[in-house]
Amino acid sequence: MASFVDRVVLHVSGGTGGHGCVSVHREKFKPLGGPDGGNGGDGGDVILRVDHQTTTLLDFHHAPHRHATNGGNGMGDWRGGKSGETLILSVPDGTVVKTKDGEVLADLVGEGTEFVAAAGGQGGLGNAALSSQKRKAPGFALLGIPGDERDVVLELKSIADIALVGFPSAGKSSLIAAMSAARPKIADYPFTTLVPNLGVVEAGSTRFTIADVPGLIEGASEGKGLGHHFLRHVERCAALVHVLDCAALETDRDPLNDLAIIEGELDKYAVDMSFAGPDGDVVPLNERPRLIALNKVDVPDGKDMAGFVRPELEARGYRVFEVSASSHEGLRQLGFAMAEIVENARKAVATAPPRIEPPVLRPRGVNAASFRIRHEEKDALPLFRVLGEKPERWVKQTDFTNDEAVGFLADRLAKLGVEEQLFKTGAKPGDTVVIGEGDGVVFDWEPTMMGGAELLAGPRGSDLRLAEYVRPTREQKREEYQERKDAKAAARAELEADRKAGIWTESVQNRKQAAQKGAETESED
């Protein structure tokens, strides 16, 4: 089971915004008190925050899918929905956030540093917020927008000042244990160290951190061993210390050959832009200050080997130290040499002015459109795709089960200039129009030929422009005319029959006769 993870692919998604509410205020003596639907709450964000108590990305290895809470829906009486809670994910200091393509999004260094990995969606407006002088009582509300959803790569690059590199069992972990309070696992077999070890060293008034790279062997750049996988942990280091085993048991190994192999592997490693100096440049690993630590000189053969190779290494320009992790010989001198390099690097960072790229201001043109239309073909038929932040967001906010909401979308698009641009692009009534990439939202385009829905009479939640109208044929018109003619003839015949029967007459004589008959009937009773 993994106990240390320094690279994960994290799937994050912000919370979806809550929907707006459609409501009309009602109370005694005020049956229609106006719209009072509240707005939906915004969705929660997913934030990566540096926490010094977090040292590994193991939690994200076991649970790589993280989602923030959604916003609450709006309610009547002008009550807004609850905003979604922000999901804060703790990451170790030195975590680099990248896309899957390798683009660096953020370099999280320092306690409390944050990066918004996925923003929450915007809540929809209720009908109270959509009301205006022309549209006094909207019968619709806007929907909440889904939050951002993407995959990010998290890489942990340890914050260390000095990196120890060397073959397995060269004594790197033993040096860290002897020079600091760290207690890494130590054994007499290769690849004992499976994770980078960190130790804090004090040399005089200077305090710095050292780290080792486990399992760096020949062919690491091709994937052999573990070293190339962990080289990212030394990218932030100011200097490298080559730990050379002077008492190796293998007969085909010697310190000079080990140094040449490790240097060759460092040459093949490309440092990315996630760490840059004060001038904005990245120094390759093999061009940084280097020290040589000839280890295991407490062994007689190791002492002899160190005396044999030291002149050659010094002739190449290296500072060489004969050390022993067991007897602590030479560790004090090595510690002060490391501290000197660290102090110089820190002074350079503090005194050198950072290189700041001059900002490029590109003001938006006066007539610049906030959308564009792309002419395509699908199934040998013309297709016009509308792309832009506003049209795509408006489509997400529209409730297509409500005709008034659809009409409101049409008005917004027309006001933005989409219809005019479609005419200029060559679109004709009935052509297919898609808003957004991919499948998007598909329309059979019919140009708006009258004013907005707020100027038309109709029940709430409806739009007369969207009402279906089927033009009758000549045969249907003849049938309707004959039906009306027959109905009128039947009505005339019924009235004539009533008149002849005396049921319907305006004669004064008939009214008198009817009154006399009524009086005689009462006297008889």
Side-chain angles (χ1 to χ4, degrees), residues 231-270:
L231 273 175
R232 68 172 66 97
H233 292 274
V234 302
E235 289 187 357
R236 305 180 189 273
C237 298
L240 304 179
V241 176
H242 286 280
V243 181
L244 303 180
D245 189 356
C246 291
L249 300 178
E250 293 86 347
T251 57
D252 57 342
R253 284 182 52 193
D254 63 81
L256 296 179
N257 186 42
D258 291 353
L259 177 62
I261 293 175
I262 299 301
E263 288 281 335
E265 295 303 323
L266 294 178
D267 290 338
K268 299 176 183 178
Y269 184 79

Side-chain angles (χ1 to χ4, degrees), residues 202-349:
E202 290 188 5
S205 60
T206 304
R207 187 174 184 178
F208 57 93
T209 306
I210 58 177
D212 70 331
V213 179
L216 187 61
I217 62 175
E218 184 177 7
S221 58
E222 285 78 29
K224 296 182 180 179
L226 303 174
H228 190 265
H229 178 65
F230 289 113
L231 273 175
R232 68 172 66 97
H233 292 274
V234 302
E235 289 187 357
R236 305 180 189 273
C237 298
L240 304 179
V241 176
H242 286 280
V243 181
L244 303 180
D245 189 356
C246 291
L249 300 178
E250 293 86 347
T251 57
D252 57 342
R253 284 182 52 193
D254 63 81
L256 296 179
N257 186 42
D258 291 353
L259 177 62
I261 293 175
I262 299 301
E263 288 281 335
E265 295 303 323
L266 294 178
D267 290 338
K268 299 176 183 178
Y269 184 79
V271 181
D272 60 26
M273 293 299 297
S274 60
F275 174 78
D279 57 354
D281 295 329
V282 177
V283 181
L285 296 181
N286 59 342
E287 296 182 9
R288 299 182 187 182
R290 284 163 291 176
L291 303 176
I292 300 295
L294 300 176
N295 196 19
K296 302 180 183 179
V297 295
D298 56 310
V299 180
D301 293 342
K303 187 70 174 179
D304 296 339
M305 179 62 73
F308 177 75
V309 300
R310 179 167 186 168
E312 175 66 21
L313 296 174
E314 291 178 343
R316 298 182 185 180
Y318 293 106
R319 295 179 63 184
V320 183
F321 298 86
E322 298 181 8
V323 299
S324 171
S326 300
S327 62
H328 290 203
E329 178 183 347
L331 295 185
R332 179 177 175 82
Q333 293 82 356
L334 178 61
F336 277 98
M338 294 180 183
E340 180 183 353
I341 296 176
V342 172
E343 281 295 324
N344 293 334
R346 291 175 180 175
K347 291 179 181 178
V349 173

